[in-house]
Amino acid sequence: MAKVLVSDPIDQVGIDILSQVAQVDVKTGLSAEELVKIIPEYDALMLRSGTRVTKEIIEAGTQLKIIGRAGVGVDNIDVPSATRQGIVVVNSPEGNTIAAAEHALAMMLSLSRHVPQANQSMKANKWDRKNFMGTEVYKKTLGVVGLGKIGSHVANVAKAMGMKILAFDPFISQDRAEQLGCTLVDLDLLFAESDYITLHVPKTPETTHLIGREALAKMKPTARIINCSRGGIVNEDALAEAVEAGQIAGAALDVFEEEPLGESKLRGLESVILTPHLGASTAEAQVNVAIDVAEQIRDVLLGLTARSAVNIPGLTPDVMEKLRPYLKLSETLGNLVGQLAGGRIERLTVRFQGELATNKTQPLVVAAMKGLLSQALRERVNYVNAAIEAKERGIRIIETRDASVRDYSGSLHLSAQGSMGEHSVTGALLSDGEIRITDVDGFPINVPPSNYMLFTVHRDMPGIIGQIGSLLGSFNVNIASMQVGRKIVRGDAVMAVSLDDPLPEGLLSEITKVAGIRDAYTVKL
Ligand SMILES: NC(=O)C1=CN([C@@H]2O[C@H](COP(=O)(O)OP(=O)(O)OC[C@H]3O[C@@H](n4cnc5c(N)ncnc54)[C@H](O)[C@@H]3O)[C@@H](O)[C@H]2O)C=CC1
Ligand SMILES: O=C(O)CCC(=O)C(=O)O
């Protein structure tokens, strides 16, 4: 039975889902050394933000197939190392959106009305009304940095409270911003005009210390900053200095450069509100993310695909739904053309034809690469690491499209240039989803792929097919089906033979000796 390690507290509903297919061990608060020691036993790891999954842990996880982050940010996981090792990393992109947005809004209102400070004063048996004069958010300007899922919900609610919304997000269109009632501006203008600035970006090299001394100097003295996204996007030293100096009015932080937050100047500042990474801590969000990620781990352990893999390019659920039937086709053709081309492959061209030419097809290219490399790498290659493995082998990948091809509703044409020559195959799906190989090296055929296949290129002349049949028979190899494709009578032809048994050693060279046979290839799919 598969084994799953849960290294941070997750909702029981997630454990119940995992338990359908695996032994689940919940061990929280482990040190990095302890994790390295026990991880080799596990097929899957599920965590929240409390576990840092380093390169060492990943490399020690020789059985790991999937790492599931019960939340959005995967910056606590060394994703490149996981990718290299073929481990799929999944998250829950939407499960805690509302929770994080509402926390940011709670922080904004707390900043404007000093709720935490007033509460603390009451708990100290005081009745102090003059020290907690607030400001209204109504008609104030909110600057939203990162107008994604959380940022847009914050903007929506803030608009309903009568705020004017400025937004900065280089990857969001003007149309989308307008739909959300936001004005897209550059960062400098957002810093200069906003009364509140709320951050909802991932942590990337571009966003690290986005709020530093320079940015703080551009803000109004009445400005307040809210960070419920990631620690390190705000330079904490610079923020503490700016608040202390009255350069800005205050800040509310849920996330920190180092978590848990150690000794920090921020702890002593009256106009700074701190929460210990509580953005996703609602009952609803924890159920959502636990279900979302546990289901994906369960599916991957059952050999199915994950719907929110962060390290499989382009494989979003809607794309997946459309392309699922074609993934197997692409992988099969990649495997076939790789074996026909043989030797070291230098280039793989994937042409999407007919209906497929208009679809998002990146996952099919990955599937083709996986098929191409499967003879060399066996089960070590998967959808996660196929692109890296192909790149490291210097295989150039070319993607082309031809919507005008009309023979099937959609077909895939792959050609591989190897050290021993160039070969091509085309394939399509029948209406029942069955795969058909419809062309080999430009010769039309129509055969289903089978485990063992023999392909010959030969002169179209009487007697050849009989001789091949006799040879196979004399070696006790049973033929399941056979088809010949040719372009002109008595010209060159291709024969595709599906076999029930593997070709015994030596038989291929016997076949190539038959008069009229130019080439022969044996393939295992
Ligand atoms: N405090 C907490 O407990 C939680 C924190 N988060 C964090 O909140 C952040 C946002 O999450 P979502 O809205 O779900 O992500 P998202 O992917 O939907 O949105 C992120 C947005 O940031 C934009 N962006 C990327 N680079 C940018 C840049 N350099 N400048 C401006 N915009 C940029 C993207 O275009 C995107 O629209 C993430 O860092 C996530 O880890 C999420 C959930 C809970
Ligand atoms: O697991 C948590 O509580 C943190 C959530 C979070 O930061 C995220 O989803 O990015």
Side-chain angles (χ1 to χ4, degrees), residues 236 256-268 274:
E236 287 166 15
F256 304 91
E257 307 202 55
E258 281 299 324
E259 292 185 12
L261 178 68
E263 252 183 55
S264 165
K265 263 193 179 175
L266 294 167
R267 288 189 190 268
L274 307 174

Side-chain angles (χ1 to χ4, degrees), residues 323-334:
L323 294 185
R324 196 188 302 275
Y326 286 100
L327 287 168
K328 185 76 195 141
L329 170 67
S330 189
E331 188 176 334
T332 304
L333 295 179

Side-chain angles (χ1 to χ4, degrees), residues 157-173:
V157 176
K159 234 175 64 87
M161 289 195 289
M163 298 186 83
K164 174 183 166 189
I165 319 290
L166 301 180
F168 172 73
D169 190 324
F171 309 106
I172 289 286
S173 69

Side-chain angles (χ1 to χ4, degrees), residues 112-113 134-140 163 196:
S112 65
R113 301 305 293 270
T135 47
E136 289 172 11
V137 296
Y138 181 68
K139 289 205 168 159
K140 296 290 186 320
M163 298 186 83
Y196 297 85

